[in-house]
């Protein structure tokens, strides 16, 4: 009898040792739900801690690992028996030596028990075309325990809706709303005024832009005359350059071409453009302008002619007298200034 009992005991021990050698050692794991009670529509987190001597992070792209943490490309169908039961917000795996912590944050859409199916982190990490490094039988399975989603109405034991409450507002919010309403009203009023005055504003802008362009034209003319005076040029060339400068000024100022207008028709053409509404100062400067064109034309074309040899010489020579160029430029600048101030 004793021999038979001893034989059975030895057989049991050998069977136990054989079974332990044939199956891999199961590592310690622990699952915690945060918060403990999760209601439908709330955000909950499963924290699954386990130990594994195998470096699971070796299966992932190393560029995705930061501070011993990696965000998993986990899909609901990877671990949920019914993927429609909840919304997966994030899944993070944290490593501390051989200790790992898997944090899965989700929002449940239904009450009752949510069941999970086993999955392998190595396969999740190896997604993206990277070959797996270990056969499936040697992978570490993640087996999550089912969680229960509570109903708030059942916990509170209520079957009817509560009466609506007035909206809560922060202190001094009324003042902010009043200020916003005041500013909005002011902006709307300003916009209305701008729309009403839009034609006047556009007309003012066009006139302002026109005045700026006229000012630039007059400045360019004055600079050109002063530059011409500083150059050592023949009287004939000086007279020709002076006429070119003034014709360009008149073309832009009165919006028509003066290129073919003769010296004795300059004044008449300006009066026709302005409708004979020029004041006395404008009329006087137009007379001076006409005489300057006649004088410069004489110097340009009368050189060597019989008229240029008549006496007295200062009245008939086809060249500028001493200081006449400076006087011509000074008078021309004054004429330009008068036209800019007086011609509308």
């Amino acid at each position: 009898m004793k021999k038979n009992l001893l034989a059975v005991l030895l057989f049991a021990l050998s069977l136990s040792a054989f079974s332990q050698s044939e199956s891999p050692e199961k590592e310690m794991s622990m699952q915690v739900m945060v918060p403990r009670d999760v209601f439908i529509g709330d955000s909950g987190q499963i924290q699954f801690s386990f130990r594994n001597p195998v470096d699971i992070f070796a299966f992932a792209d190393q560029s995705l690992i930061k501070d011993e943490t990696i965000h998993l490309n986990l899909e609901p169908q990877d671990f949920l028996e019914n993927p429609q039961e909840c919304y997966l917000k994030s899944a993070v795996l944290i490593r501390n030596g051989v200790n790992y912590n898997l944090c899965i944050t989700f929002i449940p859409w239904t009450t009752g028990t949510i069941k999970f199916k086993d999955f392998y982190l190595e396969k999740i990490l190896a997604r993206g075309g990277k070959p797996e490094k270990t056969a499936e039988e040697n992978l570490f399975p993640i087996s999550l325990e089912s969680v229960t989603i509570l109903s708030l109405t059942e916990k509170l034991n209520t079957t009817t809706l509560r009466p609506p409450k007035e909206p809560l507002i922060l202190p001094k919010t009324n003042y902010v709303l009043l200020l916003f309403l005041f500013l909005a009203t002011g902006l709307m009023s300003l916009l209305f005024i701008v729309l009403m005055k839009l034609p006047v504003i556009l007309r003012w802008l066009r006139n302002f832009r026109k005045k700026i362009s006229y000012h630039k034209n007059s400045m360019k003319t004055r600079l050109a005359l002063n530059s011409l005076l500083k150059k050592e040029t023949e009287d004939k060339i000086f007279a020709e350059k002076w006429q070119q400068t003034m014709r360009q000024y008149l073309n832009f100022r009165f919006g028509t071409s003066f290129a073919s207008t003769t010296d004795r028709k300059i004044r008449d053409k300006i009066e026709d453009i302005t409708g004979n509404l020029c004041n006395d100062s404008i009329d006087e400067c137009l007379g001076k302008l006409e005489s300057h064109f006649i004088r410069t034309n004489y110097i340009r074309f009368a050189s060597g002619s019989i008229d240029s040899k008549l006496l007295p010489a200062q009245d008939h020579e086809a060249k500028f007298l001493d200081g006449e160029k400076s006087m011509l430029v000074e008078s021309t600048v004054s004429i330009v200034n008068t036209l800019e101030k007086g011609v509308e």
Side-chain angles (χ1 to χ4, degrees):
M1 183 66 181
K2 292 182 177 180
K3 291 182 179 180
N4 292 336
L5 182 59
L6 180 60
V8 172
L9 181 60
L10 290 175
F11 177 77
L13 290 174
S14 62
L15 182 62
S16 176
F18 177 77
S19 63
Q20 289 180 0
S21 62
E22 289 296 315
S23 61
E25 182 182 356
K26 296 297 182 179
E27 302 292 342
M28 181 184 297
S29 63
M30 182 177 62
Q31 178 176 325
V32 178
M33 187 66 193
V34 180
R36 185 182 62 180
D37 294 334
V38 178
F39 299 92
I40 184 172
D42 289 342
S43 179
Q45 185 180 85
I46 297 175
Q47 296 184 1
F48 183 78
S49 303
F50 62 95
R51 292 170 57 87
N52 192 348
V54 178
D55 185 8
I56 301 178
F57 277 37
F59 289 81
D61 187 347
Q62 299 301 304
S63 63
L64 301 178
I65 303 174
K66 183 178 181 182
D67 297 331
E68 298 298 310
T69 302
I70 186 170
H71 291 268
L72 300 176
N73 185 20
L74 190 64
E75 300 292 340
Q77 57 270 20
D78 292 332
F79 70 105
L80 288 168
E81 290 191 358
N82 183 4
Q84 305 298 326
E85 289 182 337
C86 66
Y87 165 72
L88 177 62
K89 294 181 64 177
S90 65
V92 179
L93 181 63
I94 304 172
R95 177 178 61 181
N96 184 11
V98 296
N99 297 314
Y100 294 88
N101 188 20
L102 174 62
C103 300
I104 301 177
T105 306
F106 65 97
I107 299 176
W109 299 133
T110 60
T111 58
T113 302
I114 296 180
K115 296 181 179 181
F116 305 97
K117 59 185 179 180
D118 293 352
F119 63 96
Y120 299 96
L121 289 176
E122 293 87 348
K123 288 188 175 182
I124 302 299
L125 293 172
R127 283 177 176 171
K130 186 174 181 180
E132 299 177 3
K133 298 183 177 180
T134 309
E136 182 171 327
E137 59 269 16
N138 295 325
L139 299 180
F140 184 82
I142 301 296
S143 300
L144 300 178
E145 299 176 359
S146 302
V147 296
T148 301
I149 306 303
L150 304 177
S151 172
L152 190 60
T153 56
E154 293 179 0
K155 183 175 181 179
L156 298 178
N157 195 23
T158 57
T159 57
T160 58
L161 296 176
R162 295 182 179 180
K165 291 185 177 181
E166 295 182 359
L168 300 177
I169 59 175
L170 297 175
K172 299 183 179 179
T173 305
N174 289 336
Y175 298 104
V176 176
L177 293 176
L178 288 175
L179 178 61
F180 175 78
L181 181 62
F182 175 78
L183 293 176
T185 304
L187 289 175
M188 292 297 294
S189 301
L190 181 60
L191 179 62
F192 179 76
I193 293 174
V194 169
L195 292 177
M196 291 293 295
K197 298 292 185 180
L198 187 59
V200 178
I201 295 175
L202 293 177
R203 185 164 56 251
W204 180 87
L205 289 175
R206 286 195 296 267
N207 292 335
F208 179 75
R209 185 171 57 184
K210 187 181 296 185
K211 288 182 179 180
I212 294 296
S213 61
Y214 287 156
H215 177 72
K216 290 182 178 179
N217 181 48
S218 63
M219 287 291 296
K220 178 181 177 181
T221 302
R222 286 190 285 265
L223 291 174
L225 291 172
N226 291 325
S227 176
L228 179 62
L229 184 62
K230 294 177 182 179
K231 297 179 181 179
E232 295 294 335
T233 56
E234 297 180 3
D235 290 352
K236 180 179 179 180
I237 301 300
F238 184 94
E240 182 179 357
K241 294 292 184 181
W242 181 91
Q243 285 203 6
Q244 290 178 357
T245 301
M246 288 308 297
R247 288 183 188 277
Q248 289 176 358
Y249 165 76
L250 294 174
N251 290 344
F252 189 88
R253 186 62 182 80
F254 294 100
T256 187
S257 176
F258 284 80
S260 59
T261 306
T262 61
D263 50 6
R264 298 184 182 278
K265 295 293 183 178
I266 295 288
R267 178 175 182 173
D268 294 339
K269 187 169 185 176
I270 295 176
E271 289 179 346
D272 289 342
I273 294 172
T274 58
N276 293 321
L277 298 177
C278 300
N279 53 36
D280 293 340
S281 61
I282 298 294
D283 189 65
E284 183 180 352
C285 82
L286 291 180
K288 292 181 181 180
L289 181 63
E290 180 181 345
S291 65
H292 291 336
F293 269 100
I294 294 173
R295 175 61 175 161
T296 51
N297 255 355
Y298 180 79
I299 294 175
R300 288 178 63 191
F301 302 112
S303 178
S305 64
I306 298 176
D307 290 343
S308 65
K309 301 183 183 302
L310 296 176
L311 297 176
Q314 62 271 20
D315 294 336
H316 298 88
E317 281 185 326
K319 64 179 182 179
F320 289 108
L321 302 177
D322 292 340
E324 187 177 0
K325 290 182 180 180
S326 299
M327 294 177 61
L328 175 63
V329 170
E330 182 179 352
S331 176
T332 306
V333 170
S334 177
I335 291 171
V336 170
N337 293 336
T338 303
L339 290 177
E340 291 301 315
K341 293 178 181 179
V343 175
E344 295 294 336

